[in-house]
Amino acid sequence: QVQLVESGGGLVQPGGSLRLSCAASGSILRFSSMGWFRQTPGKQRELVAIIIRGGSINYVDSVKGRFTISRDIAKNTVYLQMNSLKAEDTAVYYCKTAVLGLDYWGQGTQVTVSS
């Protein structure tokens, strides 16, 4: 059983920054990819950023240049640094991994960008 716990969400003004954290139970980051997704009411969950097991990184076009995904393998934690936040970044953010063919999701953390 893998548990993922997100933290770091909150209310921020447009142009501001937040850093999300996703702490994983067990030492899985060496062997598993980790992604950050977001979801707004009535819409499908969207992949925002992913860091592949070997270290490759991909972003959705709308966050390129503003968001940075990183990981600390020793701490079993993945981060999402979000800069220059916009109102359209408002969503519940989830981290996700897959281990032995099973998907695991965190509980989500709300990010609200508003003045």
Side-chain angles (χ1 to χ4, degrees):
Q1 185 80 10
V2 174
Q3 292 186 328
L4 303 175
V5 179
E6 300 106 335
S7 61
L11 172 64
V12 64
Q13 293 186 341
S17 298
L18 283 174
R19 188 177 82 155
L20 306 183
S21 300
C22 174
S25 61
S27 300
I28 65 170
L29 294 188
R30 294 183 187 274
F31 313 107
S32 302
S33 302
M34 187 74 76
W36 283 100
F37 291 73
R38 64 186 179 188
Q39 189 171 26
T40 54
K43 293 188 177 181
Q44 287 190 329
R45 204 165 286 191
E46 170 190 43
L47 176 62
V48 175
I50 186 168
I51 183 164
I52 308 300
R53 181 176 61 185
S56 298
I57 290 172
N58 284 296
Y59 300 96
V60 68
D61 285 346
S62 59
V63 308
K64 285 180 179 178
R66 300 189 297 122
F67 290 12
T68 302
I69 188 171
S70 62
R71 65 184 179 183
D72 186 329
I73 292 177
K75 294 184 178 180
N76 300 313
T77 301
V78 174
Y79 304 97
L80 186 68
Q81 177 67 44
M82 305 186 295
N83 298 328
S84 302
L85 282 161
K86 304 175 181 179
E88 51 262 44
D89 296 317
T90 296
V92 179
Y93 284 72
Y94 300 88
C95 59
K96 179 211 168 184
T97 191
V99 179
L100 298 178
L102 297 178
D103 290 343
Y104 296 91
W105 294 87
Q107 82 285 358
T109 185
Q110 177 70 47
V111 171
T112 302
V113 184
S114 175
S115 55

